[in-house]
Structure formats: C-alpha cells, structure tokens
Amino acid sequence: MNIIKASEIEEISSTGDTVIIDARGGADAEDRFDTGHLDGAMFVNLETDLSKKVENPADGGRHPLPDAEKIGQLLGQLGITPKTKVIVYDDKRGAMAAARFWWMLKAAGHEEVYVVSGGLEAIIKEGLTISQDALTLLTEYPDYPFEEWLLPTVSLKEVEQAVSNPDYVVIDVRENYRYKGESEPIDLVAGHIPGAINIPYVENMGEDGNFLSSEYLKQKYTAALAGKDPEKIIVHCGSGVTACHTLLALEDAGIAGANLYVGSWSEWSRNDKPIATGEI
C-alpha cells in the first residue's frame, strides 16, 4: 500500500514511530506551510531539500536529485529511520512534492511510506487538526543509511536511444496543451520529445483530486502500455516531479519498475534535441 486516505492517517500514526511530512514546492512554500499544515507535520522544501541547485537546467533539468549524502542527513534530521512509517502529503493533491518525496524514499530503500490521496485539501475535509506550529529538525541524529538511488532512472542519452526503439515507451505526463506545444508556461521551448506518448498525470485522479482506484489505474495503464516490460517504460514531466505521481499510480496499479527521467523536458528542450508538436 502506497496511497492512503486522509481518514487513515490517525490509525497509522497511532501504531507508533511515525513521521508526517508536509512537502511543498515554489518560492513561497515555507510561507504556505506556516499558514496552516497538519498538526505534527514536519516541512520539506522541494526546491532546497528534494532537489539540487544547478546553474543551468540543461545539465540535469530544473529539479535534479540531490546527493545521497544530503538526503541521508535530511532524513536523519526529520527523525526517519529505516523502521519509521512515513506519511507524506502536499498542497497540490499529492501531485507535486509529496510524490517526489515518496519516490525518493522508495529509491533510498525505505519500505513504509504513504502518500495521502487528495493532499492537504482532503486532510482539511476530513476535519483533522490544522496547525501553525512548526516542529524543529533534530540536532542530534544518525544519518539515514543511504548510499545510492535504488530505483531506476535514465539519462538524456538513454531517452534519446529509447524513443527510436519500439520495445520502449516514453510517457510525457504534462498537460496535453504543453505536450502539443500550444504553449509552455515554465520552460523555454514548447513541444514534446518525438515519439513520446502523452498520459497527463491529472488523469490519475478523479474530479475530487483523489487517486482513482487501483483497479481502474491497472486497466488504464495496462491498455495504454500494451504489455510493455516496466523496465522499458520511461516516465517524464517538466522537471522530474509530477512524473513521480504517475510512477506512484503505476506502482499502485501493480506495474512496478518503470524508469524516471529526472531531467525531463526542462533538460531535453535545452540541449538542441529534436522537438515535436501536435499529437504523436
């Protein structure tokens, strides 16, 4: 189980050794956290904690993965050990930093990590206590034992080779208008990687912002991927963040082992690579 409902948070927390993480992104992430968060949650910042700063997004994209040593220190400061149950949510219905943190913990080898379906919105609707009090990071702690990312990722070169190989499928999870190149609100160039198919991450959720059922997701992705080996599925977005939402959906659907292209469109579009527009 990787996805839980807001109504399950208290039950899981009551069993002991549980850390709740509020993960947010954007320049005002910490201000939004301070305005209101689930009581007892600790804050992690997509921009400074879950990403490594680079001068040029052409080298790894806008949100490259941080060094393993830094993540080991961060998890230790948060009080997370390999035996800790971790519950994570964000204020984007789980589609942004929460899914990224889930992927990073799984890639660190952590077993029990749960994303709250519907995020903070669902938590508020459930009537759980919202607080403005912040917990502080631990000052004395053991680093989390983590040396390398264990889940599969691919490089720009590997994506370039995969799109011309019929055994592979590259999934672009951005909104359809971005995929088609009608406009691009974040990166410098509009369009998509030639040969990539578009399955927007928002299709993993219902109108209420909650993840659709495991059965529905299994039917959806089984049909879309036409029996492709998960090891030959590559998932990307704009900068390697919302792609994790689809990787979580695939995992929930029983399709584990797909690759994350961390650099995503933000890297591809800055390296003079071919660019397609319109539908595939």
Side-chain angles (χ1 to χ4, degrees), residues 131 185 245:
S131 172
H245 191 272

Side-chain angles (χ1 to χ4, degrees), residues 8-121:
E8 298 176 277
I9 293 174
E10 291 184 335
E11 180 181 354
I12 293 173
S13 300
S14 68
T15 59
D17 195 10
T18 303
V19 171
I20 301 174
I21 299 296
D22 182 307
R24 307 200 195 194
D28 63 343
E30 192 163 1
D31 290 338
R32 301 199 316 274
F33 173 80
D34 290 340
T35 298
H37 53 266
L38 179 60
D39 188 41
M42 301 188 76
F43 174 68
V44 297
N45 192 321
L46 171 64
E47 316 302 332
T48 57
D49 295 324
L50 308 185
S51 305
K52 178 170 62 177
K53 285 294 183 183
V54 292
E55 293 184 6
N56 185 0
D59 181 21
R62 286 184 280 107
H63 290 109
L65 292 172
D67 297 332
E69 180 181 0
K70 178 181 178 182
I71 291 301
Q73 292 173 349
L74 173 66
L75 296 180
Q77 289 177 307
L78 293 168
I80 297 173
T81 73
K83 295 182 179 180
T84 303
K85 294 182 289 295
V86 180
I87 298 172
V88 58
Y89 71 91
D90 61 29
D91 59 352
K92 303 296 181 185
R93 294 181 166 181
M96 285 290 289
R100 170 72 166 234
F101 192 68
W102 167 84
W103 185 93
M104 291 171 70
L105 267 181
K106 285 293 187 180
H110 199 80
E111 293 185 4
E112 289 195 77
V113 51
Y114 310 103
V115 175
V116 180
S117 182
L120 182 61
E121 183 177 328

